[in-house]
Amino acid sequence: MNEHVQANKAAPLFNPLSPEFIRDPYPFYAQLRDNDPMHVTPFGAFLASRHAESSLVLRDKRFGKDFVARSIRRYGPDIMNEPVFQSMSHWMLQQDPPDHTRLRGLVVKAFTARRVEDMRPRIQEIVDRTLDEVIPQGRMDLIEDFAFKLPVTVICDMLGIPEEHREAFYKSSREGGRLLEPVPLSKAEIAEGNAGNAVSKAYFQHLFELRRKQPGDDLTTQLLQAEEDGAKLSHDELTANIILLFGAGHETTVNLIGNGLLALHRNPDQLALLKARPELITNAIEEFLRYDSSVQLTGRVALEDIEDLGGRRIPKGETVLCLLGSANRDPAVYPDDPEKLDIVRANVKPLSFGGGIHHCLGAQLARIEAEVAIGTLLRRLPELKLDDPDSPEWRPTFVLRGLKRLPAHW
């Protein structure tokens, strides 16, 4: 055990909502991987920081989501009366088979490689229009004025949200991430989650009415048709999963674009290389995903006793949290300087989109959105500089890692 860890014996190895951790979690991950790769957190979860254990847990059928039982264990039997927890219990993200299989089967068609690739011209058009508006001003916030606009517009297109309703979504706050944190929510935070859930529900009921009267070629119409065939989808499942798709469809992509742009500007040699060789963008996106993942953690529950995971016994019902951001920098998988940004790195296979049956549905869409957004920005604004690349303002959440703002000028 090195001296630094010894000196910090009093400080917890994993304190994900501390400002130091949010600013830069990677040194803490290195300590965990070296000293306690299956760390037990103060509230009893196991924390997998290496790639081997994380990738196994994501793919192994002995692990599942077990959302309701897990929430009751953490908060007590009344937690499922809270509307936001009720809604989350219907998310396919929190479901196990057979419900997960049924729900995912209903939406997977909208995210096939072919359909997503066909969206590229529309994505290009949105990025160009956004830049046309902002270029004459000489400055912008890369998060709010650029990264946020694109995925929100794309998910509104996919869900059939009419143009005249979108202004509210462009202005909406990005405060939902706290619900996903591994640190238990306070009463006030649960109340806030319930309020946000009520607003979303009210809007989507309105959208459902509209699409029942005027069906479109969109995911909402498709799911409403599945709801009519009651065996496929209940009304609560429909509402919860549209809310999930809306949030998941933009949150993480905003962060991927923002974190990628920050990483490039903090590594001027890599920025110069990508400008000189724009064809490297596809591999560069994989490296951004690896280097500073928009999703840092995902959890599973042991559905049976696991005798040995990284040297620990995991009893049935216990939670294992997989630190994706840490696994992505594990020297066992990336022996060639994993802490360095290298856009020509070979064999980059980040765990940022999860794995197994819950592998992110929108992974390919997010990749294309980031590719078009970052590639176009570098081409059209080659002189762009960040106001303050050294101390940017991070959002105070850990699971969804992203910037609050990223001011730039040209």
Side-chain angles (χ1 to χ4, degrees):
M1 197 180 258
N2 66 37
E3 290 155 32
H4 181 62
V5 176
Q6 206 74 54
N8 276 343
K9 205 73 174 93
L13 265 181
F14 181 63
N15 183 12
L17 295 181
S18 74
E20 302 74 32
F21 203 104
I22 282 174
R23 193 165 48 243
D24 184 6
Y26 298 101
F28 297 94
Y29 292 160
Q31 283 184 29
L32 282 164
R33 285 193 306 267
D34 293 348
N35 298 295
D36 195 2
M38 284 297 295
H39 177 69
V40 182
T41 69
F43 46 90
F46 293 85
L47 198 61
S49 52
R50 293 187 301 208
H51 190 283
E53 289 80 17
S54 295
S55 55
L56 180 117
V57 168
L58 294 176
R59 293 177 175 83
D60 192 315
K61 289 188 167 58
R62 294 173 301 167
F63 290 92
K65 288 289 187 166
D66 202 19
F67 178 78
V68 174
R70 187 178 85 215
S71 303
I72 288 170
R73 261 199 309 279
R74 182 182 285 188
Y75 293 100
D78 296 339
I79 192 63
M80 295 319 292
N81 299 332
E82 299 288 353
V84 71
F85 276 81
Q86 238 165 27
S87 180
M88 284 161 69
S89 74
H90 294 296
W91 288 2
M92 65 182 121
L93 180 67
Q94 304 289 13
Q95 294 274 11
D96 292 313
D99 287 330
H100 171 266
T101 319
R102 170 176 56 85
L103 291 170
R104 189 170 169 122
L106 291 173
V107 295
V108 71
K109 291 188 279 300
F111 291 94
T112 59
R114 174 72 203 280
R115 281 197 75 160
V116 169
E117 192 51 55
D118 287 347
M119 288 159 72
R120 196 182 279 268
R122 171 68 175 145
I123 292 167
Q124 185 67 59
E125 175 201 339
I126 298 163
V127 172
D128 280 323
R129 202 175 59 217
T130 305
L131 287 174
D132 291 342
E133 281 171 21
V134 84
I135 283 176
Q137 294 164 19
R139 58 180 312 105
M140 67 166 146
D141 170 7
L142 283 166
I143 303 300
E144 193 180 328
D145 302 326
F146 183 68
F148 186 63
K149 278 269 170 68
L150 169 66
V152 173
T153 306
V154 171
I155 198 68
C156 284
D157 283 357
M158 290 185 81
L159 293 178
I161 294 173
E163 290 284 347
E164 61 272 20
H165 295 177
R166 295 184 184 187
E167 204 46 45
F169 290 109
Y170 293 131
K171 292 198 167 30
S172 68
S173 74
R174 296 166 55 229
E175 301 307 325
R178 180 68 183 93
L179 289 172
L180 302 171
E181 299 295 339
V183 178
L185 296 159
S186 66
K187 276 204 158 50
E189 286 170 323
I190 292 173
E192 204 179 312
N194 287 336
N197 183 252
V199 171
S200 299
K201 255 184 156 153
Y203 173 73
F204 287 112
Q205 297 312 321
H206 178 65
L207 180 67
F208 297 157
E209 287 314 306
L210 180 70
R211 288 290 160 248
R212 280 193 184 100
K213 292 192 196 95
Q214 306 168 8
D217 178 24
D218 57 68
L219 202 44
T220 302
T221 301
Q222 192 188 312
L223 291 177
L224 282 165
Q225 285 157 359
E227 184 209 15
E228 281 170 21
D229 172 5
K232 287 192 184 149
L233 192 67
S234 74
H235 187 70
D236 287 345
E237 288 174 333
L238 167 71
T239 311
N241 282 289
I242 290 274
I243 292 174
L244 168 68
L245 285 165
F246 183 79
H250 73 281
E251 272 291 352
T252 47
T253 309
V254 175
N255 295 346
L256 167 57
I257 296 169
N259 297 3
L261 286 168
L262 177 65
L264 272 181
H265 284 87
R266 284 176 157 180
N267 293 274
D269 60 321
Q270 299 296 298
L271 178 61
L273 178 59
L274 189 52
K275 283 179 182 170
R277 297 180 54 198
E279 72 279 5
L280 294 175
I281 188 73
T282 307
N283 199 66
I285 299 300
E286 297 309 295
E287 177 68 349
F288 300 149
L289 285 161
R290 183 198 73 81
Y291 180 77
D292 202 5
S293 177
S294 339
V295 181
Q296 289 284 313
L297 173 148
T298 185
R300 297 287 188 275
V301 172
L303 302 176
E304 57 185 75
D305 290 337
I306 310 290
E307 285 315 318
D308 179 25
L309 182 69
R312 293 237 190 224
R313 182 176 181 278
I314 316 287
K316 179 181 176 178
E318 293 298 331
T319 297
V320 178
L321 301 172
C322 304
L323 284 170
L324 306 176
S326 177
N328 284 341
R329 293 196 185 194
D330 188 337
V333 180
Y334 300 102
D336 200 15
D337 202 353
E339 302 292 328
K340 181 173 170 275
L341 182 76
D342 175 6
I343 63 167
V344 294
R345 188 185 294 276
N347 301 320
V348 189
K349 293 192 172 58
L351 285 185
S352 311
F353 291 117
I357 63 169
H358 289 283
H359 183 268
C360 173
L361 258 179
Q364 203 45 32
L365 176 59
R367 287 185 170 105
I368 292 176
E369 288 181 295
E371 203 175 289
V372 174
I374 294 174
T376 306
L377 186 74
L378 299 185
R379 189 179 77 242
R380 292 193 56 186
L381 279 174
E383 301 304 305
L384 178 124
K385 293 205 171 28
L386 300 186
D387 292 8
D388 184 6
D390 298 326
S391 46
E393 198 179 338
W394 292 96
R395 295 173 64 193
T397 53
F398 155 70
V399 172
L400 299 181
R401 176 168 171 76
L403 295 151
K404 219 173 193 166
R405 52 185 68 87
L406 191 60
H409 59 276
W410 52 91

